[in-house]
Amino acid sequence: GSEDKTIIIWDAKSGQRLQTLEGHSDWVNSVSWSPDGKYLASGAGDNNVIIWDANSGEKLQTLKGHSCAVWFLCWSPDGKYLASESHDNILKIWDVNYGVEVKTLDGGYDGFRSVCWSPDGKYLASGSTGYQAVIIWDAKSGEILKTLEGHSNFVRSVCWSPDGKHLASGSEDK
């Protein structure tokens, strides 16, 4: 039904449904608030990322460029950029002020399963499937800086500590 293609914004305290955002033509896989709370990004099975005005619910931009479903989204700490990860094994960095793609990071066989910005905005961490590792990227150049190995299966989640000194990764390890 249409509920599979919507985003609902709730009042967490009262449980009241505040608004329903509609604009994707396929299931919504990921939502992410901008750091200032003004915008909401959504990624979906229609291969698109939509940027919404979180207060009005207005669709501001549709970011097109992935060839498969968008699974993960993460805003840069300054709110200027959005990273999107897709089943096409591509990680894209978007300039949300202009609605343009500024960097494409190709995982090749080593597909992605998660993405997270470092607190200082200089690095991206991504979970990988092919190498069963965490990849640390230079967010500006798109170069791989480190590959952290140690898992025995797909890395499905990554997260930086608030001080940027540590990185946690979750996997399907047995």
Side-chain angles (χ1 to χ4, degrees):
S2 65
E3 294 297 313
D4 300 334
K5 302 170 191 168
T6 62
I7 296 116
I8 299 173
I9 298 178
W10 304 89
D11 181 306
K13 190 172 182 179
S14 71
Q16 180 182 355
R17 184 184 203 152
L18 300 177
Q19 45 182 323
T20 301
L21 310 180
E22 297 179 358
H24 285 288
S25 62
D26 210 328
W27 67 92
V28 177
N29 295 316
S30 183
V31 292
S32 182
W33 290 98
S34 63
D36 63 8
K38 293 181 181 178
Y39 306 102
L40 187 67
S42 58
D46 59 11
N47 310 346
N48 297 324
V49 175
I50 296 178
I51 307 294
W52 308 85
D53 180 302
N55 292 321
S56 71
E58 177 187 358
K59 181 168 43 168
L60 302 175
Q61 299 177 45
T62 300
L63 307 177
K64 298 181 178 205
H66 285 291
S67 63
C68 291
V70 177
W71 288 101
F72 296 98
L73 299 170
C74 188
W75 291 84
S76 62
D78 63 9
K80 293 179 182 177
Y81 301 98
L82 181 73
S84 61
E85 178 277 325
S86 169
H87 195 62
D88 59 12
N89 296 339
I90 300 289
L91 196 151
K92 293 185 178 290
I93 300 174
W94 306 87
D95 180 319
V96 291
N97 291 324
Y98 297 100
V100 296
E101 177 186 327
V102 294
K103 192 70 62 185
T104 296
L105 310 176
D106 189 341
Y109 165 72
D110 186 36
F112 304 113
R113 286 295 173 266
S114 180
V115 62
C116 186
W117 288 87
S118 63
D120 62 9
K122 293 180 181 178
Y123 310 104
L124 280 167
S126 62
S128 69
T129 59
Y131 296 119
Q132 303 161 355
V134 175
I135 300 171
I136 298 178
W137 306 82
D138 181 295
K140 193 171 186 175
S141 72
E143 292 179 47
I144 293 175
L145 300 176
K146 292 180 185 167
T147 301
L148 310 177
E149 298 177 349
H151 286 289
S152 63
N153 211 325
F154 297 170
V155 177
R156 293 203 170 265
S157 60
V158 292
C159 186
W160 293 89
S161 63
D163 63 8
K165 293 181 181 178
H166 304 283
L167 190 62
S169 57
S171 172
E172 295 180 22
D173 294 341
K174 295 181 173 137

Coordinates of all heavy atoms in Angstrom, one line a residue, residues 53-110:
D53 N 11.8 19.7 3.6 CA 11.7 20.7 4.7 C 11.0 20.1 5.8 O 9.8 19.7 5.7 CB 10.9 22.0 4.2 CG 10.9 23.1 5.3 OD1 10.4 22.8 6.4 OD2 11.3 24.2 5.0
A54 N 11.7 19.9 7.0 CA 11.1 19.1 8.1 C 9.9 19.8 8.7 O 9.1 19.2 9.3 CB 12.2 18.8 9.1
N55 N 9.9 21.1 8.6 CA 8.8 21.9 9.3 C 7.5 21.8 8.4 O 6.4 21.5 8.9 CB 9.2 23.3 9.6 CG 10.2 23.3 10.7 OD1 10.1 22.6 11.6 ND2 11.2 24.2 10.5
S56 N 7.7 22.2 7.1 CA 6.5 22.3 6.2 C 6.1 20.9 5.6 O 5.0 20.8 5.1 CB 6.7 23.3 5.2 OG 7.7 22.9 4.2
G57 N 7.1 20.0 5.5 CA 6.9 18.8 4.8 C 7.1 18.9 3.3 O 6.8 18.0 2.5
E58 N 7.5 20.1 2.8 CA 7.7 20.3 1.4 C 8.9 19.6 0.8 O 9.9 19.5 1.5 CB 7.9 21.8 1.1 CG 8.1 22.2 -0.3 CD 8.5 23.7 -0.5 OE1 8.5 24.4 0.5 OE2 8.8 24.1 -1.6
K59 N 8.7 19.0 -0.3 CA 9.8 18.3 -1.0 C 10.6 19.4 -1.7 O 10.2 20.1 -2.5 CB 9.3 17.3 -2.0 CG 10.4 16.6 -2.8 CD 10.0 15.3 -3.6 CE 8.8 15.5 -4.5 NZ 8.6 14.4 -5.4
L60 N 11.9 19.5 -1.2 CA 12.8 20.5 -1.8 C 13.6 20.0 -3.0 O 13.8 20.8 -3.9 CB 13.7 21.0 -0.6 CG 13.0 21.5 0.6 CD1 14.1 21.9 1.7 CD2 12.2 22.8 0.2
Q61 N 14.1 18.8 -2.9 CA 15.0 18.3 -3.9 C 14.8 16.8 -4.1 O 14.6 16.1 -3.1 CB 16.5 18.6 -3.6 CG 16.9 20.0 -3.5 CD 18.3 20.1 -3.1 OE1 19.2 19.4 -3.7 NE2 18.6 20.9 -2.1
T62 N 15.0 16.3 -5.3 CA 15.2 14.9 -5.5 C 16.5 14.7 -6.1 O 16.9 15.3 -7.2 CB 14.1 14.4 -6.5 OG1 12.8 14.6 -5.9 CG2 14.2 12.9 -6.7
L63 N 17.4 13.9 -5.4 CA 18.7 13.6 -5.9 C 18.7 12.3 -6.6 O 18.5 11.3 -6.0 CB 19.7 13.6 -4.6 CG 19.6 14.8 -3.7 CD1 20.5 14.6 -2.5 CD2 19.9 16.1 -4.5
K64 N 19.0 12.4 -7.9 CA 19.0 11.2 -8.7 C 20.4 10.9 -9.2 O 21.2 11.8 -9.5 CB 18.1 11.4 -10.0 CG 16.7 11.7 -9.6 CD 15.8 11.9 -10.8 CE 14.4 12.1 -10.4 NZ 13.5 11.7 -11.4
G65 N 20.8 9.6 -9.2 CA 22.1 9.2 -9.6 C 22.4 7.8 -9.3 O 23.3 7.2 -9.9
H66 N 21.7 7.2 -8.4 CA 21.9 5.8 -8.1 C 21.2 4.9 -9.0 O 20.1 5.3 -9.5 CB 21.5 5.4 -6.6 CG 22.4 5.9 -5.6 ND1 23.7 5.4 -5.4 CD2 22.3 6.9 -4.6 CE1 24.3 6.0 -4.4 NE2 23.5 6.9 -3.9
S67 N 21.7 3.7 -9.3 CA 21.0 2.8 -10.3 C 20.2 1.7 -9.5 O 19.6 0.9 -10.2 CB 22.0 2.2 -11.3 OG 23.0 1.4 -10.6
C68 N 20.3 1.7 -8.2 CA 19.6 0.7 -7.4 C 19.1 1.4 -6.1 O 19.4 2.6 -5.9 CB 20.5 -0.4 -7.0 SG 21.0 -1.5 -8.4
A69 N 18.4 0.6 -5.3 CA 17.8 1.2 -4.1 C 18.8 1.8 -3.2 O 19.9 1.4 -3.1 CB 17.1 0.0 -3.4
V70 N 18.4 3.0 -2.6 CA 19.2 3.7 -1.6 C 18.9 3.1 -0.3 O 17.8 3.1 0.2 CB 19.0 5.2 -1.7 CG1 19.8 5.9 -0.6 CG2 19.3 5.7 -3.1
W71 N 20.0 2.6 0.4 CA 19.8 2.0 1.7 C 20.2 2.8 2.9 O 19.6 2.7 4.0 CB 20.6 0.6 1.7 CG 20.0 -0.4 0.9 CD1 20.4 -0.8 -0.4 CD2 18.8 -1.2 1.2 NE1 19.6 -1.7 -0.9 CE2 18.6 -2.0 0.0 CE3 18.0 -1.3 2.3 CZ2 17.5 -2.9 0.0 CZ3 16.9 -2.2 2.2 CH2 16.7 -3.0 1.1
F72 N 21.2 3.6 2.8 CA 21.7 4.3 4.0 C 22.0 5.8 3.6 O 22.5 6.1 2.5 CB 23.0 3.7 4.5 CG 22.8 2.3 5.1 CD1 23.2 1.2 4.3 CD2 22.3 2.1 6.3 CE1 23.0 -0.1 4.7 CE2 22.1 0.8 6.8 CZ 22.5 -0.3 6.0
L73 N 21.8 6.6 4.6 CA 22.0 8.1 4.5 C 22.7 8.6 5.7 O 22.4 8.1 6.8 CB 20.7 8.8 4.3 CG 19.8 8.5 3.1 CD1 18.5 9.2 3.3 CD2 20.5 8.9 1.8
C74 N 23.6 9.6 5.5 CA 24.2 10.2 6.7 C 24.6 11.6 6.3 O 25.3 11.9 5.3 CB 25.4 9.4 7.1 SG 26.2 10.0 8.7
W75 N 24.2 12.6 7.1 CA 24.6 14.0 6.9 C 26.0 14.3 7.4 O 26.4 13.7 8.5 CB 23.6 14.9 7.7 CG 22.3 15.0 7.1 CD1 21.2 14.1 7.4 CD2 21.7 15.9 6.2 NE1 20.1 14.5 6.7 CE2 20.4 15.6 6.0 CE3 22.3 17.0 5.6 CZ2 19.5 16.3 5.1 CZ3 21.4 17.8 4.7 CH2 20.1 17.4 4.5
S76 N 26.7 15.2 6.8 CA 28.0 15.7 7.3 C 27.7 16.5 8.6 O 26.6 17.0 8.7 CB 28.7 16.5 6.3 OG 28.0 17.7 6.0
P77 N 28.6 16.6 9.5 CA 28.3 17.3 10.8 C 27.9 18.8 10.5 O 27.2 19.3 11.3 CB 29.6 17.2 11.5 CG 30.3 16.0 11.0 CD 29.9 15.9 9.6
D78 N 28.4 19.4 9.5 CA 28.1 20.8 9.2 C 26.8 20.9 8.4 O 26.3 22.0 8.2 CB 29.2 21.5 8.5 CG 29.5 20.9 7.1 OD1 28.8 20.1 6.6 OD2 30.5 21.4 6.5
G79 N 26.2 19.8 8.0 CA 24.9 19.8 7.3 C 25.0 20.2 5.8 O 23.9 20.3 5.2
K80 N 26.2 20.4 5.3 CA 26.3 20.8 3.9 C 26.3 19.7 2.9 O 25.9 19.8 1.7 CB 27.6 21.6 3.7 CG 27.6 22.9 4.4 CD 29.0 23.6 4.2 CE 29.0 24.9 5.0 NZ 30.3 25.6 4.8
Y81 N 26.6 18.5 3.4 CA 26.7 17.3 2.5 C 25.9 16.2 3.1 O 25.7 16.0 4.3 CB 28.2 16.9 2.4 CG 29.1 18.0 1.8 CD1 29.8 18.8 2.7 CD2 29.1 18.3 0.4 CE1 30.6 19.8 2.1 CE2 29.9 19.3 -0.1 CZ 30.6 20.1 0.8 OH 31.4 21.1 0.3
L82 N 25.5 15.3 2.2 CA 24.8 14.1 2.5 C 25.5 12.9 1.8 O 25.7 13.0 0.6 CB 23.3 14.2 2.1 CG 22.4 13.0 2.4 CD1 22.1 13.0 3.9 CD2 21.1 13.1 1.6
A83 N 25.8 11.9 2.5 CA 26.3 10.7 1.9 C 25.2 9.7 1.7 O 24.3 9.5 2.6 CB 27.4 10.1 2.8
S84 N 25.1 9.0 0.6 CA 24.1 8.0 0.3 C 24.7 6.8 -0.2 O 25.7 6.8 -1.0 CB 23.0 8.5 -0.7 OG 23.6 8.8 -2.0
E85 N 24.2 5.6 0.3 CA 24.8 4.3 -0.1 C 23.7 3.5 -0.7 O 22.5 3.6 -0.3 CB 25.3 3.6 1.2 CG 25.8 2.2 0.9 CD 24.7 1.2 0.9 OE1 23.7 1.3 1.6 OE2 24.9 0.2 0.1
S86 N 24.0 2.9 -1.8 CA 23.0 2.2 -2.6 C 23.4 0.7 -2.8 O 24.6 0.4 -2.8 CB 22.8 2.9 -3.9 OG 22.0 2.1 -4.8
H87 N 22.4 -0.1 -3.2 CA 22.7 -1.5 -3.6 C 23.5 -1.6 -4.8 O 23.9 -2.7 -5.2 CB 21.3 -2.2 -3.7 CG 21.4 -3.7 -3.7 ND1 21.9 -4.4 -2.6 CD2 21.1 -4.6 -4.6 CE1 21.9 -5.7 -2.9 NE2 21.4 -5.8 -4.1
D88 N 23.7 -0.5 -5.5 CA 24.6 -0.5 -6.7 C 26.1 -0.5 -6.4 O 26.9 -0.4 -7.3 CB 24.2 0.7 -7.7 CG 24.4 2.1 -7.0 OD1 24.9 2.2 -5.9 OD2 23.9 3.0 -7.7
N89 N 26.4 -0.6 -5.1 CA 27.8 -0.6 -4.6 C 28.4 0.8 -4.8 O 29.7 0.8 -4.9 CB 28.6 -1.7 -5.2 CG 28.1 -3.1 -4.8 OD1 27.3 -3.2 -3.8 ND2 28.4 -4.1 -5.5
I90 N 27.6 1.8 -4.8 CA 28.2 3.2 -5.0 C 27.8 4.0 -3.8 O 26.7 3.9 -3.3 CB 27.6 3.8 -6.2 CG1 27.9 3.1 -7.5 CG2 28.0 5.3 -6.3 CD1 29.3 3.1 -7.9
L91 N 28.7 4.8 -3.3 CA 28.5 5.7 -2.2 C 28.7 7.1 -2.8 O 29.7 7.4 -3.5 CB 29.6 5.5 -1.1 CG 29.3 6.1 0.2 CD1 29.9 5.3 1.3 CD2 29.8 7.5 0.3
K92 N 27.7 7.9 -2.7 CA 27.7 9.3 -3.3 C 27.7 10.3 -2.2 O 27.1 10.1 -1.2 CB 26.5 9.5 -4.2 CG 26.5 8.6 -5.5 CD 25.4 8.9 -6.4 CE 25.5 8.1 -7.7 NZ 26.6 8.4 -8.5
I93 N 28.4 11.4 -2.5 CA 28.4 12.6 -1.6 C 27.7 13.7 -2.4 O 28.1 14.0 -3.5 CB 29.8 13.0 -1.2 CG1 30.5 11.8 -0.4 CG2 29.7 14.2 -0.3 CD1 31.9 12.1 0.0
W94 N 26.7 14.2 -1.8 CA 25.9 15.3 -2.4 C 26.1 16.6 -1.7 O 26.1 16.6 -0.5 CB 24.4 14.9 -2.3 CG 24.0 13.6 -2.8 CD1 24.0 12.4 -2.2 CD2 23.6 13.3 -4.2 NE1 23.6 11.4 -3.0 CE2 23.4 11.9 -4.2 CE3 23.4 14.0 -5.3 CZ2 22.9 11.3 -5.4 CZ3 23.0 13.4 -6.5 CH2 22.7 12.0 -6.5
D95 N 26.2 17.7 -2.4 CA 26.1 19.0 -1.9 C 24.6 19.4 -1.8 O 24.0 19.6 -2.9 CB 26.9 20.0 -2.8 CG 26.8 21.4 -2.2 OD1 25.8 21.9 -1.8 OD2 27.9 22.1 -2.3
V96 N 24.0 19.4 -0.6 CA 22.6 19.6 -0.5 C 22.1 21.0 -0.8 O 21.0 21.2 -1.1 CB 22.1 19.1 0.8 CG1 22.1 17.6 0.9 CG2 22.8 19.7 2.0
N97 N 23.1 22.0 -0.7 CA 22.7 23.4 -1.0 C 22.4 23.5 -2.5 O 21.5 24.3 -2.9 CB 23.8 24.4 -0.6 CG 23.9 24.4 0.9 OD1 22.9 24.4 1.7 ND2 25.1 24.6 1.4
Y98 N 23.1 22.8 -3.3 CA 22.9 22.9 -4.7 C 22.3 21.7 -5.4 O 22.0 21.7 -6.6 CB 24.3 23.2 -5.4 CG 24.9 24.5 -5.0 CD1 25.9 24.5 -4.0 CD2 24.5 25.7 -5.5 CE1 26.5 25.7 -3.6 CE2 25.0 26.9 -5.1 CZ 26.0 26.9 -4.1 OH 26.6 28.0 -3.7
G99 N 22.1 20.6 -4.6 CA 21.5 19.4 -5.1 C 22.3 18.7 -6.1 O 21.7 18.1 -7.0
V100 N 23.6 18.8 -6.0 CA 24.5 18.1 -7.0 C 25.4 17.1 -6.3 O 25.8 17.3 -5.1 CB 25.3 19.1 -7.7 CG1 24.5 20.1 -8.6 CG2 26.2 19.9 -6.8
E101 N 25.7 16.1 -7.1 CA 26.6 15.1 -6.6 C 28.1 15.6 -6.7 O 28.4 16.2 -7.8 CB 26.5 13.9 -7.5 CG 27.4 12.7 -7.3 CD 27.2 11.7 -8.3 OE1 26.1 11.4 -8.8 OE2 28.3 11.0 -8.7
V102 N 28.8 15.6 -5.7 CA 30.2 16.1 -5.7 C 31.3 15.0 -5.7 O 32.4 15.2 -6.1 CB 30.5 17.1 -4.5 CG1 29.6 18.3 -4.7 CG2 30.2 16.4 -3.2
K103 N 30.9 13.8 -5.3 CA 31.9 12.7 -5.3 C 31.1 11.4 -5.4 O 30.1 11.2 -4.8 CB 32.6 12.8 -3.9 CG 33.9 11.9 -3.8 CD 35.0 12.4 -4.7 CE 35.5 13.7 -4.3 NZ 36.6 14.2 -5.2
T104 N 31.7 10.4 -6.1 CA 31.2 9.1 -6.2 C 32.3 8.1 -5.8 O 33.5 8.2 -6.3 CB 30.8 8.7 -7.7 OG1 29.8 9.6 -8.1 CG2 30.4 7.3 -7.8
L105 N 32.1 7.3 -4.8 CA 33.0 6.3 -4.3 C 32.5 5.0 -4.7 O 31.4 4.5 -4.3 CB 33.1 6.4 -2.8 CG 33.4 7.8 -2.2 CD1 33.4 7.8 -0.7 CD2 34.7 8.4 -2.7
D106 N 33.2 4.3 -5.5 CA 32.8 3.0 -6.1 C 33.4 1.9 -5.3 O 34.6 1.7 -5.2 CB 33.2 2.9 -7.6 CG 32.6 1.7 -8.3 OD1 32.1 0.8 -7.6 OD2 32.6 1.8 -9.5
G107 N 32.5 1.0 -4.7 CA 32.9 -0.1 -4.0 C 33.2 -1.3 -4.8 O 33.8 -2.3 -4.3
G108 N 32.9 -1.3 -6.1 CA 33.1 -2.4 -7.0 C 32.4 -3.7 -6.3 O 31.3 -3.6 -5.9
Y109 N 33.1 -4.8 -6.3 CA 32.6 -6.0 -5.7 C 32.4 -5.8 -4.2 O 31.5 -6.3 -3.6 CB 33.6 -7.1 -6.0 CG 33.3 -8.3 -5.1 CD1 32.2 -9.2 -5.3 CD2 34.1 -8.7 -4.0 CE1 31.9 -10.3 -4.5 CE2 33.9 -9.8 -3.2 CZ 32.8 -10.5 -3.5 OH 32.5 -11.6 -2.7
D110 N 33.2 -4.9 -3.6 CA 33.2 -4.7 -2.2 C 32.1 -3.7 -1.9 O 32.3 -2.6 -1.6 CB 34.5 -4.2 -1.7 CG 34.6 -4.0 -0.2 OD1 34.1 -4.9 0.4 OD2 35.3 -3.1 0.2

